[in-house]
Amino acid sequence: MTFKGHKGAVFRCAFNTTGDRAFSASEDSKVRIWDVSTGNSITKLQGHSGTIYGIARSADSRFLVSCSEDQSLIVWDLSSGKSVRKLLGHEGDIFCCDISRDGKYVVSSSEDRTVRLWEIQTGKELLQLKGHDLDVVGCQLSENSTHIVSSSFDKTVRIWEVASGAQIRKFSAHTDEVNCCSFVYASN
C-alpha cells in the first residue's frame, strides 16, 4: 500500500503501538497520521516552519515529538492532535529525537553539534552534551534513560552518561559519516 499526501520528501516514519496508525515526517513541514488499513491520511499536525527530519512516539502512544530545520521540537498530544509544547534551544537544524520509555524525557541531536535532553512535562532543557566536531544526526536514550548514544558527521558514535553529562565512550572506527545509531539489547 502507498500512502499519498505529502508535498515533499518523507524523512521518517513510525507506527503506534497497536500498528493501526502510521506517522510520517516530511519536507512539507507537516506530520501526517495515517490509517494503516485504508492508507488514508487521518490528520496533519502543523506547527513547524521547515522540513521535519525526525519523529518519535511515546511507548504508550500518547505523545509524538517532531524535530525540524526550524530549530524546534514540538510535543504533540495524539488524542487531540494538538501541540502541547514547543522546545527551543538548539541553534541549528534538529535531525533526530527520541522519547524515553517512561515518556518523561526527549533527547535531540542537531546541526549545532549538541545533544540535548528535555523534560516533556515542563519543556525544560536538562542537559546539553558537547563533544562532536560536526553535525549530530542520530541519538537515542537507553531503555532505563541512564545513557544516550549519539552519531555524527564527524564519523563517531559516542555514549554519554545522563547523570553526569560525561562522555563515557567514543567509537571512531567509521570511515564516513554515521547517520544513525541505536542501543541494541540482547534477549535471553
Side-chain angles (χ1 to χ4, degrees), residues 50-62:
T51 298
I52 302 172
Y53 291 115
I55 51 175
R57 67 149 175 84
S58 60
D60 60 7
S61 290
R62 286 184 48 222

Side-chain angles (χ1 to χ4, degrees), residues 5 25-26 33 37 39 41 57 64 71 85 96 124 151 159 177:
S26 173
I33 302 176
S37 64
S41 176
R57 67 149 175 84
L64 186 81
Q71 303 178 11
R85 111 180 352 91
C96 189
K124 181 180 178 188
S151 60
I159 307 286
E177 300 171 349

Side-chain angles (χ1 to χ4, degrees), residues 17 23-24 32 70 77 80 119 129 140-141 155 179 182:
T17 51
F23 313 104
S24 56
R32 284 191 181 260
D70 69 9
D77 179 329
S80 69
E119 188 175 55
L129 305 172
Q140 186 184 44
L141 274 158
K155 305 176 188 176
N179 293 303
S182 179

